[in-house]
Amino acid sequence: MKISFQINGVPQSVDVDENTPLLWVVRDVLDLKGTKFGCGKAACGACTLHVDGEAIRSCSYAVKYAEGKDITTIEGLGNADHPHPVQQAWMEEVVPQCGYCQPGFMMATAAMLEKIPNPTDEDIDANIVNICRCGTYYRMRKAIHRAAELHHVNTQNS
């Protein structure tokens, strides 16, 4: 089945089984390797990306539901010259340890900051439920608060 959508601002059409998880289309068909496979059960969040601005677990999201939608992966969140506030905060707070789960955490955080621009620790606990095997939660919490500050500054300057 041919399915069309925008990914990181670029129109794409893929011809795949409509029930293929979006994760495998992103990684194997479109060769965007930033989104990771973790548990395959939508539990860990390593595969988090945005569909129309909502954080979704792409390992359990059939590509047929992406028809006509706007998808953003970690590659489209920002770039080396203009990192997204979440990416900037992650670098400033030296969050990653092994780094495997970090793209999912950053995508979940970016989606949360669009809805809750100044999150409390309770907001973070309620909305960022991804799993990190390395236990970098303390640094991530600091980075999320820093990202909120950077996001606020960027919003005021634009």
Side-chain angles (χ1 to χ4, degrees):
M1 176 178 188
K2 190 170 186 171
I3 299 165
S4 300
F5 48 80
Q6 286 224 121
I7 188 159
N8 300 330
V10 177
Q12 289 285 344
S13 288
V14 295
D15 191 5
V16 296
D17 181 310
E18 66 183 12
N19 292 312
T20 302
L22 180 58
L23 172 65
W24 300 125
V25 172
V26 167
R27 287 185 57 83
D28 295 345
V29 177
L30 302 176
D31 202 30
L32 296 168
K33 304 292 189 185
T35 306
K36 305 299 186 200
F37 174 76
C39 64
K41 299 176 182 175
C44 75
C47 64
T48 303
L49 48 69
H50 296 173
V51 175
D52 285 346
E54 295 290 326
I56 64 110
R57 307 280 169 99
S58 63
C59 71
S60 61
Y61 187 89
V63 70
K64 65 185 173 188
Y65 299 120
E67 173 67 36
K69 301 214 172 146
D70 186 18
I71 300 165
T72 305
T73 66
I74 190 70
E75 291 91 345
L77 197 59
N79 59 48
D81 293 332
H82 298 93
H84 185 278
V86 172
Q87 293 168 315
Q88 182 64 41
W90 245 246
M91 290 185 287
E92 289 179 14
E93 298 297 336
V94 193
V95 172
Q97 192 162 321
C98 84
Y100 192 83
C101 65
Q102 299 303 307
F105 270 101
M106 287 190 275
M107 296 305 289
T109 298
M112 179 189 69
L113 291 177
E114 289 300 319
K115 295 177 181 169
I116 308 170
N118 191 19
T120 63
D121 285 347
E122 291 76 24
D123 293 328
I124 294 168
D125 291 343
N127 289 283
I128 308 298
V129 293
N130 298 31
I131 297 171
C132 173
R133 292 182 301 177
C134 301
T136 59
Y137 298 105
Y138 175 73
R139 293 195 307 256
M140 279 189 264
R141 183 180 303 274
K142 285 178 59 180
I144 291 168
H145 288 297
R146 177 66 181 139
E149 294 170 7
L150 294 169
H151 185 71
H152 180 70
V153 169
N154 287 355
T155 303
Q156 286 183 327
N157 292 336
S158 59

